[in-house]
Amino acid sequence: MTTASIPDRIENDAGTIDLAGGEVLFVPAMTEQQKAVFTQHYARKNRSPIWGINKPYEFNDTDYTPWWWLFTERALVEMATSAGWVVEDVQPNWAGRAHTLLLKNSGRRDGVTVG
C-alpha cells in the first residue's frame, strides 16, 4: 500500500504542526495556520496546488479530488495493523512525501484469528 504521508513534526516560518504519537489531520478541519505550515513545507519540494489546503475546495462525499487526510508513518502502520494486516516493511518514497507498506494478510477475520 502506498499513500502520501507527512512528518511527525513540521516546523517553519508559518508555525508548527506536531503529530507525534500517530495523530492524523482531517483536511476539512485544518486551521488556516495548519494549512499555511503544511503549504510552506510542501512547497519546498513541489509547487503544485494542494486541493483543500492551498487551493480552496468545497468538500463533498462524492468527490475524491482533494486530499481528505494527512497521515504520519506511525498512523499508517497502526491503521493497517488495526485492520488486521501484518506490516512486514515500511519504506519512504516520493522524496519522503509518501510511504509504502508491505502488508501481509494476518488471517484475522472480524477480529478473530482464522486458521
Side-chain angles (χ1 to χ4, degrees):
M1 174 184 83
T2 299
T3 190
S5 60
I6 62 173
D8 289 345
R9 184 177 176 85
I10 301 171
E11 188 170 2
N12 54 43
D13 294 340
T16 303
I17 297 174
D18 189 349
L19 300 173
E23 295 181 34
V24 300
L25 283 175
F26 181 53
V27 174
M30 287 175 72
T31 66
E32 291 304 314
Q33 182 193 18
Q34 289 172 323
K35 290 178 182 180
V37 172
F38 186 73
T39 296
Q40 191 176 108
H41 166 75
Y42 189 79
R44 291 184 205 157
K45 299 178 180 182
N46 189 332
R47 301 269 182 215
S48 300
I50 310 164
W51 296 83
I53 297 176
N54 68 2
K55 181 172 178 71
Y57 197 82
E58 187 173 323
F59 288 85
N60 68 72
D61 63 359
T62 62
D63 187 355
Y64 297 100
T65 300
W67 291 4
W68 284 80
W69 295 93
L70 299 175
F71 303 102
T72 61
E73 176 186 350
R74 179 173 176 190
L76 291 169
V77 168
E78 294 300 327
M79 288 184 345
T81 302
S82 296
W85 296 97
V86 174
V87 179
E88 294 194 333
D89 193 19
V90 180
Q91 292 295 320
N93 57 43
W94 196 31
R97 292 173 289 172
H99 278 79
T100 298
L101 283 66
L102 177 61
L103 304 174
K104 177 181 174 185
N105 186 333
S106 68
R108 190 181 92 190
R109 190 175 339 147
D110 298 320
V112 178
T113 301
V114 177

